[in-house]
């Protein structure tokens, strides 16, 4: 198949590229970084240098392809988080114009619950395309962003945590699930696939990470959403972005995220948090 991947050579798209090239597919990887061109080619894929915010570029790149993978990470440092929605609109329009019949869209296990942005609604106007929303839980790699908090406060603080159950996901397992989805026929319309590697409470996850890095009493503390939002804004995060982040976390704390997840519970992936924690510990002590 002729497949287009977004996400450059990130945590998901790099292993996904490796899987699809090995399977013999014709893979094009979109990246905004011209310096990635050689690395993409070395992996056996074709680079397409451009931005997903550029609709004509997307249309050109999607033309003649069988499957597209749409990945649009939220930039919480941006002043206007609705750029994320506009990029999703670009994906949908490029799919409609080019007539691509299969799309895999990375959203997240709380995407359907959000009030401030609506990533999945953007694809409802594609009745002739089989669209699968891949909904992973929080990535293991999110712990990289918590390094300073852990080191300085010896705890993790958010408006979810403690005994809240989280379906953590390894990027490698997400890539494997996306590749499997691409190779699975699907009827036109909207579909959902959850992805998880290990189901743990936040307290259990903190203990695993803490033991690995030498802080065995590491805790994951829950604070009110208003307090978390104020703290985020104090670090320079825009009120809009801080509100989105606390909204996402609140849906993990109040059980809404877990409700639909359990109704569509996936087979868990191979990579467990302890596997990641060993690598994280090496990185943590070097940075």
């Amino acid at each position: 198949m002729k497949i287009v991947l977004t996400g450059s050579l990130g945590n998901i798209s790099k292993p996904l590229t490796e899987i699809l090239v090995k399977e013999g597919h014709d893979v094009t990887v979109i990246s905004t970084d011209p310096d990635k061109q050689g690395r993409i080619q070395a992996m056996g894929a074709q680079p397409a240098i451009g931005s997903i915010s550029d609709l004509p570029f997307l249309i050109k790149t999607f033309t003649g392809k069988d499957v597209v993978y749409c990945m649009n990470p939220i930039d919480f440092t941006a002043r206007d988080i609705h750029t994320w929605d506009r990029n999703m609109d670009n994906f949908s329009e490029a799919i409609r114009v080019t007539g691509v019949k299969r799309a895999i869209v990375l959203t997240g296990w709380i995407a359907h619950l959000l009030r401030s942005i609506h990533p999945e609604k953007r694809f409802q106007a594609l009745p002739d395309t089989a669209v699968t929303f891949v909904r992973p839980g929080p990535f293991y790699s999110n712990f990289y962003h918590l390094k300073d908090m852990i080191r300085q406060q010896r705890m993790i603080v958010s408006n979810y945590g403690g005994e809240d159950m989280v379906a953590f996901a390894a990027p490698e397992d997400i890539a494997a699930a996306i590749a499997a989805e691409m190779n699975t026929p699907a009827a036109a319309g909207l579909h959902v696939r959850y992805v998880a590697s290990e189901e743990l409470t936040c307290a259990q996850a903190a203990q695993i990470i803490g033991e690995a890095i030498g802080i065995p009493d590491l805790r994951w503390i829950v604070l009110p959403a208003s307090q978390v939002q104020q703290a985020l804004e104090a670090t320079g995060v825009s009120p809009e972005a801080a509100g989105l982040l606390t909204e996402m976390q609140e849906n993990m704390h109040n059980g809404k995220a877990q409700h639909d997840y359990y109704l569509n519970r996936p087979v868990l992936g191979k990579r467990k948090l302890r596997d990641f924690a060993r690598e994280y510990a090496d990185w943590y002590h070097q940075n």
Side-chain angles (χ1 to χ4, degrees):
M1 293 186 291
K2 295 181 179 180
I3 300 172
V4 174
L5 307 180
T6 55
S8 188
L9 295 180
N11 290 330
I12 296 172
S13 295
K14 182 179 179 181
L16 179 56
T17 300
E18 292 170 345
I19 293 169
L20 296 174
V21 168
K22 186 176 181 179
E23 290 178 346
H25 298 293
D26 181 340
V27 180
T28 298
V29 178
I30 291 177
S31 176
T32 59
D33 186 357
D35 291 339
K36 298 280 177 63
Q37 188 163 329
R39 290 174 56 191
I40 293 169
Q41 291 172 328
M43 294 178 68
Q46 301 299 316
I49 306 303
S51 172
I52 59 174
S53 63
D54 182 347
L55 180 57
F57 164 77
L58 275 186
I59 291 173
K60 178 181 178 181
T61 307
F62 285 9
T63 297
K65 301 303 190 290
D66 301 301
V67 184
V68 297
Y69 163 61
C70 301
M71 184 265 192
N72 179 26
I74 298 177
D75 180 3
F76 286 104
T77 65
R79 308 306 296 181
D80 180 10
I81 61 170
H82 292 287
T83 298
W84 200 69
D85 272 339
R86 289 191 288 272
N87 286 340
M88 286 300 202
D89 285 335
N90 281 351
F91 283 140
S92 178
E93 180 64 8
I95 291 167
R96 186 191 67 80
V97 170
T98 59
V100 172
K101 298 301 182 185
R102 190 79 168 95
I104 313 296
V105 183
L106 186 72
T107 55
W109 76 327
I110 45 79
H112 59 299
L113 301 171
L114 298 175
R115 300 184 305 273
S116 48
I117 58 176
H118 309 283
E120 296 184 354
K121 291 182 179 180
R122 265 53 193 177
F123 297 86
Q124 292 177 347
L126 298 172
D128 299 324
T129 302
V131 180
T132 299
F133 299 120
V134 173
R135 294 179 179 171
F139 298 179
Y140 290 159
S141 50
N142 289 350
F143 284 102
Y144 288 119
H145 305 297
L146 300 176
K147 180 198 69 175
D148 291 340
M149 179 186 293
I150 293 171
R151 180 167 289 161
Q152 295 167 13
Q153 302 183 33
R154 299 181 72 84
M155 65 178 66
I156 299 170
V157 178
S158 61
N159 56 307
Y160 76 108
E163 296 305 310
D164 296 338
M165 192 287 294
V166 174
F168 292 97
E172 300 90 338
D173 287 337
I174 300 170
I178 292 170
E181 192 65 30
M182 289 179 173
N183 288 305
T184 302
L190 305 181
H191 311 270
V192 171
R193 179 170 183 157
Y194 282 85
V195 182
S197 301
E198 189 165 17
E199 298 168 353
L200 298 164
T201 67
C202 293
Q204 290 172 327
Q207 182 178 6
I208 291 170
I209 294 295
E211 290 174 351
I213 63 176
I215 307 178
D217 60 346
L218 182 67
R219 295 179 299 158
W220 195 324
I221 304 299
V222 182
L223 292 180
S226 58
Q227 192 171 337
V228 172
Q229 179 159 350
Q230 289 173 5
L232 289 168
E233 291 180 27
T235 66
V237 177
S238 71
E240 194 174 35
L244 173 60
L245 186 56
T246 54
E247 180 189 356
M248 295 170 78
Q249 294 181 164
E250 182 61 28
N251 280 300
M252 290 188 275
H253 182 56
N254 63 23
K256 290 182 179 179
Q258 292 86 343
H259 176 74
D260 195 62
Y261 169 82
Y262 281 128
L263 293 176
N264 299 277
R265 202 171 193 174
V267 175
L268 297 180
K270 298 178 180 179
R271 187 166 167 79
K272 303 309 175 186
L273 186 60
R274 290 191 186 277
D275 302 325
F276 167 79
R278 287 190 289 269
E279 296 177 8
Y280 179 77
D282 290 339
W283 173 87
Y284 178 89
H285 291 298
Q286 294 172 8
N287 292 272

